[in-house]
Amino acid sequence: MEFRFFYHFGRYLLMLKGMFSRPENMRMYWKEFMKQCVDIGFGSLGIVVIISLFLGAVTTVQTAYQLVSGFIPKSTIAQVVRDTLILELAPTMVCIVLGGVVGSKIASELGNMRISEQIDAQEIMGINTKAYLIGPKILAAIITIPALVIIAAFLGIFGGLEAGKMSGIISHEQFMQGLRASFDGYNVFFALSKAYTYSFIISSIPAYYGYNVTGGALEIGRASTTAVVVSCVLILFADYALAALLL
Amino acid sequence: MIELKNIRKSFGDKEILKDVSANMEPGKTNLIIGASGSGKTVLMKCMVGLIKVDSGTVLYNGQDFTAMDDVEKKPIRQEIGMLFQGSALFDSMTVEQNVMFPLDMFSTMSYKERRKRMQECLDRVELKDANKKFPAEISGGMKKRVGIARAIVLNPKYLFVDEPNSGLDPQTSLIIDKLIKDITVEYNITTVVNTHDMNTVMESGDHIIYMHQGKKQWEGSNEDIIFSEDKLLNDFIFASEFFQDIKEMRKMEIFRDKNWRAKQAGGGNK
């Protein structure tokens, strides 16, 4: 089992190393990078909007449910919602969902290209396929996913604000007062550190599994599932490691 | 000229290529024939560098391709065009984007010149009204044509074709075979075709290599193949009764006309 781990880890590192080479044509690489930014960033925007709004709403309702003491001001709910979203829910939950959405897309796209010999066709043309096919995906994920996490944090807080008002738990004024109270900018740095780490995991792990698929359609599906599972486990592991290191 | 010297390749315990040596004649259509599992595709992938050989060398005009790293291989790879068994068209691109892709990546031509070259290649393979279609919207024969157009768009010196007739009806197969043969002559390319289609062998093979269980079993021309006494080769090519008849007909024809070979040599490439 451990040998299998080292085998995959070694190949993964070699794949990453293979990405660094002089681009054959910078314009084509830029075009591919922009395409991936649209696919990964804009393509995931819808799901990010939906889950972050609901995450914020649910956090508000459940925090209010747990704060039973009359001595705790209602604005505390907003503080809890804000910090929970920034520290954990926006980066981790959103990235776990993106691990499924983006990860399976990357793994199946590359897997299909491998099986149908499209990667071989590019290799024969003299293109470094690791640099051309994987590099722009990782770079696009590193640029767009932290942006999505920031959007998710804002929308989550907005969802919490509206849910609090609609359910009669907390007024807009109280919520805004809580949001402004004892805000720590370091939390945003921590959230972004997580987002950058996760975006690298979400893009590079599925790229590894997709790029190295052998077999047929069944193996593409299997690689896609494995990629998503491994990405999610690594996100949770990184979540704990970053919390232990940075907080 | 492509030279193969003592190529060996194994996957695990299974030896796929067993000391294969051969020369691919320049400017000719070289065929690698053999039953499924005889090592044809592995040999071709070793030649283009998609599979690393265990031992032996592949020489392109005397340059050892197998000893080169990926960066050193690039100039030779840009002289190679390849048509894959499944065509390997990029399914996110239209037909014209597929053909233009190598030009976009490697040529210094202007956009207008690249488009002109792309259209020339599509016209050469006689593909009309398909520029804006995606690979999923065109037939197998059309995909092969697009694959050929993409393979020749950078004016390669070497063209590799893996199973050009797989999945095609006999009529389309003949058209694709003729197209490959004509392009070989027209562009003076060294073409290597993997096939087990006997029509291709008889119609377009200038130089034929027969592979059997990972070894080169026989080598010669498509005229010699009819008269070969090699039992394994005969078992392979005359497996169908139809070709048994052709064998008899050809023998009769040749006995009738002693100048047959001279005629073939004179009119073969027209």
Side-chain angles (χ1 to χ4, degrees):
Chain A
M1 182 66 191
E2 56 271 22
F3 292 114
R4 204 87 194 125
F5 167 76
F6 286 121
Y7 168 77
H8 284 297
F9 187 61
R11 283 182 83 192
Y12 172 72
L13 291 182
L14 285 173
M15 180 196 84
L16 294 179
K17 181 177 165 258
M19 275 169 24
F20 295 97
S21 72
R22 190 188 164 88
E24 292 81 18
N25 183 327
M26 202 58 212
R27 193 174 47 83
M28 292 292 282
Y29 275 66
W30 176 253
K31 210 170 142 186
E32 181 65 15
F33 166 67
M34 293 310 286
K35 185 177 166 282
Q36 293 304 327
C37 282
V38 172
D39 281 359
I40 296 171
F42 282 97
S44 313
L45 195 58
I47 187 79
V48 168
V49 168
I50 292 167
I51 59 167
S52 51
L53 280 172
F54 280 95
L55 278 176
V58 170
T59 311
T60 301
V61 175
Q62 290 189 356
T63 308
Y65 169 71
Q66 289 175 82
L67 290 179
V68 286
S69 169
F71 293 108
I72 301 170
K74 284 201 170 174
S75 60
T76 309
I77 295 169
Q79 283 184 50
V80 173
V81 170
R82 179 197 68 201
D83 288 345
T84 311
L85 274 160
I86 293 176
L87 285 172
E88 188 63 19
L89 294 180
T92 309
M93 280 297 287
V94 165
C95 284
I96 284 179
V97 173
L98 287 180
V101 178
V102 175
S104 61
K105 181 195 164 294
I106 291 177
S108 54
E109 182 185 323
L110 288 174
N112 181 46
M113 287 187 80
R114 170 64 76 197
I115 300 300
S116 59
E117 297 178 311
Q118 293 174 48
I119 293 180
D120 289 345
Q122 292 191 0
E123 288 275 350
I124 284 173
M125 287 174 198
I127 297 167
N128 178 355
T129 52
K130 290 185 189 98
Y132 180 64
L133 294 173
I134 300 173
K137 285 182 173 60
I138 294 179
L139 205 58
I142 286 174
I143 303 281
T144 56
I145 289 175
L148 288 174
V149 167
I150 293 169
I151 293 170
F154 274 107
L155 287 174
I157 291 168
F158 174 74
L161 174 85
E162 290 304 321
K165 173 84 192 319
M166 280 192 291
S167 54
I169 295 168
I170 181 172
S171 68
H172 275 184
E173 291 71 29
Q174 285 171 316
F175 199 95
M176 294 308 284
Q177 190 191 350
L179 279 185
R180 291 195 197 98
S182 55
F183 174 74
D184 188 355
Y186 183 78
N187 289 354
V188 177
F189 165 78
F190 179 65
L192 285 176
S193 303
K194 279 182 167 187
Y196 282 111
T197 310
Y198 299 161
S199 55
F200 182 74
I201 292 171
I202 288 170
S203 52
S204 63
I205 299 289
Y208 167 76
Y209 281 101
Y211 190 82
N212 292 301
V213 164
T214 49
L218 193 67
E219 281 74 16
I220 297 175
R222 205 170 283 159
S224 186
T225 309
T226 312
V228 172
V229 170
V230 173
S231 300
C232 288
V233 170
L234 285 177
I235 284 174
L236 294 173
F237 177 76
D239 190 21
Y240 175 74
L242 285 169
L245 281 171
L246 297 175
L247 291 182
Chain B
M1 163 95 124
I2 307 168
E3 295 165 74
L4 308 178
K5 290 185 179 171
N6 311 103
I7 303 290
R8 284 179 182 276
K9 180 69 196 173
S10 300
F11 292 110
D13 296 337
K14 198 171 180 202
E15 198 174 15
I16 306 294
L17 297 177
K18 300 166 185 168
D19 202 28
V20 179
S21 296
N23 291 341
M24 301 296 150
E25 292 180 6
K28 299 253 172 86
T29 308
N30 299 272
L31 301 187
I32 303 172
I33 63 169
S36 298
S38 59
K40 307 184 298 287
T41 302
V42 175
L43 182 63
M44 182 173 273
K45 287 190 172 178
C46 286
M47 286 162 78
V48 296
L50 286 176
I51 294 177
K52 270 193 174 179
V53 296
D54 292 341
S55 65
T57 48
V58 178
L59 302 169
Y60 281 84
N61 280 334
Q63 291 177 278
D64 187 356
F65 190 63
T66 40
M68 294 175 181
D69 62 25
D70 284 345
V71 178
E72 290 168 331
K73 277 177 185 169
K74 274 188 182 179
I76 293 179
R77 281 191 157 156
Q78 282 164 30
E79 293 179 343
I80 294 174
M82 184 158 177
L83 172 64
F84 285 85
Q85 189 172 355
S87 303
L89 301 180
F90 307 131
D91 28 50
S92 60
M93 298 181 192
T94 61
V95 164
E96 63 177 31
Q97 285 169 340
N98 262 284
V99 180
M100 268 182 82
F101 183 80
L103 289 169
D104 289 340
M105 191 59 97
F106 296 109
S107 96
T108 50
M109 291 176 182
S110 67
Y111 179 72
K112 213 173 164 184
E113 288 169 330
R114 293 202 302 271
R115 279 201 67 84
K116 190 172 167 238
R117 174 70 187 143
M118 172 271 295
Q119 199 52 56
E120 276 171 16
C121 291
L122 285 176
D123 290 344
R124 179 61 197 86
V125 297
E126 291 165 20
L127 196 70
K128 291 186 174 56
D129 305 324
N131 285 30
K132 301 289 177 196
K133 287 186 176 163
F134 283 91
E137 298 168 339
I138 58 177
S139 69
M142 286 164 94
K143 281 182 190 166
K144 297 275 181 188
R145 286 170 194 264
V146 180
I148 295 170
R150 188 178 67 182
I152 60 169
V153 77
L154 285 174
N155 285 318
K157 284 186 184 168
Y158 313 100
L159 179 64
F160 290 86
V161 186
D162 190 15
E163 305 277 6
N165 311 117
S166 74
L168 299 183
D169 63 84
Q171 208 172 10
T172 313
S173 293
L174 285 174
I175 294 167
I176 296 294
D177 283 344
K178 188 175 179 309
L179 193 58
I180 293 166
K181 177 89 179 164
D182 291 349
I183 282 170
T184 301
V185 176
E186 207 175 301
Y187 289 74
N188 192 26
I189 304 173
T190 303
T191 299
V192 182
V193 182
N194 255 355
T195 187
H196 42 59
D197 186 295
M198 288 313 294
N199 277 323
T200 312
V201 174
M202 303 317 293
E203 296 302 326
S204 58
D206 295 323
H207 172 229
I208 300 160
I209 293 163
Y210 171 60
M211 298 281 295
H212 179 73
Q213 292 180 351
K215 283 185 194 161
K216 185 180 82 177
Q217 180 70 26
W218 184 90
E219 189 172 356
S221 71
N222 71 345
E223 294 166 29
D224 301 333
I225 206 166
I226 299 292
F227 302 101
S228 168
E229 298 301 324
D230 190 299
K231 189 185 175 307
L232 289 169
L233 177 66
N234 281 335
D235 287 349
F236 174 71
I237 58 171
F238 300 120
S240 124
E241 282 183 16
F242 175 71
F243 279 99
Q244 285 282 8
D245 295 344
I246 285 188
K247 183 183 183 182
E248 295 310 316
M249 282 160 64
R250 282 250 168 132
K251 277 184 176 173
M252 282 164 62
E253 187 183 356
I254 287 155
F255 286 130
R256 218 174 29 238
D257 184 357
K258 287 180 182 173
N259 293 324
W260 184 79
R261 278 167 194 266
K263 272 186 183 175
Q264 282 292 105
N269 287 341
K270 281 175 189 170

